[in-house]
Amino acid sequence: IAGITQAPTSQILAAGRRMTLRCTQDMRHNAMYWYRQDLGLGLRLIHYSNTAGTTGKGEVPDGYSVSRANTDDFPLTLASAVPSQTSVYFCASSAQGAPNTGELFFGEGSRLTVL
Amino acid sequence: TQLLEQSPQFLSIQEGENLTVYCNSSSVFSSLQWYRQEPGEGPVLLVTVVTGGEVKKLKRLTFQFGDARKDSSLHITAAQPGDTGLYLCAGAGHFGNEKLTFGTGTRLTIIP
């Protein structure tokens, strides 16, 4: 089934450890995004990429890094996890990036708990 | 400060009732999207509105974009248990930052 694949589905992580959340899309979309979802705060943009080879900072980028080596993959790395990074992380893609973003297609999320 | 405020935050009603949820901002958006998210899944787009005053209908769901393009509403007629979920609005085009900004969400529960 075409779409966004995220891994892992869930993970418990000790504070200070490094963690990479994987995201792959097979729709050949130009733009990809990482959001975190926290109760009462909705979805907040962490990092985005409008096209392969470029990335940008979103609303809450601190403590996170991304890379976009090719069209399909957009991994999110936590260099040294902290408990405040406990959240559900969603990867998304759209055919085009800003300013004509259009529909976002989301993965099923990765639930991360940092202890 | 949240750019897009949704109300109510939680809503629980009986099957067959009507309801309206709101998405409000002090900012103007070039377009606004509504998504529905079910437990354990990512949000799925329901509709995009782009013109001030625009009304779009999707079966029992009616979406309206405010004349000034600062607010939107979602009205559900004769709610059904399948309407249960988290409803999110998302605006594009705020102050030249064209990336989507998501609202705080309305968690809707329809009781059979």
Side-chain angles (χ1 to χ4, degrees):
Chain A
I1 297 177
I4 301 270
T5 302
Q6 290 184 235
T9 303
S10 66
Q11 182 76 44
I12 299 174
L13 187 66
R17 298 297 295 268
R18 181 184 180 89
M19 177 72 193
T20 295
L21 302 180
R22 301 183 298 278
C23 176
T24 299
Q25 57 112 350
D26 60 4
M27 296 174 282
R28 307 303 292 174
H29 283 172
N30 282 324
M32 296 187 75
Y33 313 84
W34 274 105
Y35 288 88
R36 59 178 290 173
Q37 186 172 38
D38 303 287
L39 187 63
L41 296 176
L43 285 162
R44 293 182 293 169
L45 182 64
I46 304 170
H47 285 287
Y48 66 95
S49 168
N50 282 333
T51 189
T54 68
T55 63
K57 294 182 179 181
E59 181 184 356
V60 288
D62 294 343
Y64 306 94
S65 64
V66 292
S67 62
R68 186 90 183 275
N70 57 62
T71 297
D72 298 341
D73 301 301
F74 192 43
L76 176 73
T77 297
L78 289 68
S80 180
V82 295
S84 63
Q85 291 177 312
T86 294
S87 187
V88 182
Y89 291 86
F90 285 96
C91 180
S93 71
S94 62
Q96 299 297 332
N100 299 307
T101 302
E103 179 178 2
L104 261 59
F105 294 83
F106 286 85
E108 294 190 342
S110 296
R111 181 175 296 275
L112 183 65
T113 303
V114 183
L115 301 176
Chain B
T1 301
Q2 193 72 26
L3 214 51
L4 277 168
E5 296 287 343
Q6 290 187 240
S7 61
Q9 186 176 1
F10 299 95
L11 183 59
S12 183
I13 65 170
Q14 293 290 138
E15 180 178 0
E17 294 184 357
N18 301 332
L19 67 106
T20 302
V21 298
Y22 300 92
C23 173
N24 294 299
S25 175
S26 57
S27 303
V28 175
F29 292 97
S30 61
S31 66
L32 198 135
Q33 300 177 352
W34 282 92
Y35 290 80
R36 180 168 66 208
Q37 182 180 17
E38 299 188 17
E41 299 182 7
V44 176
L45 181 69
L46 296 173
V47 77
T48 301
V49 286
V50 297
T51 305
E54 181 177 4
V55 176
K56 278 193 174 179
K57 292 190 174 184
L58 187 67
K59 296 185 180 178
R60 294 174 295 99
L61 278 60
T62 301
F63 304 85
Q64 184 162 9
F65 202 11
D67 290 341
R69 290 186 286 119
K70 293 183 178 180
D71 56 86
S72 182
S73 63
L74 158 60
H75 182 79
I76 301 180
T77 303
Q80 298 179 2
D83 296 327
T84 293
L86 178 67
Y87 288 81
L88 296 159
C89 63
H94 171 245
F95 290 152
N97 176 0
E98 303 292 340
K99 292 178 289 297
L100 282 177
T101 299
F102 279 83
T104 48
T106 294
R107 188 165 297 280
L108 175 65
T109 303
I110 307 302
I111 303 166

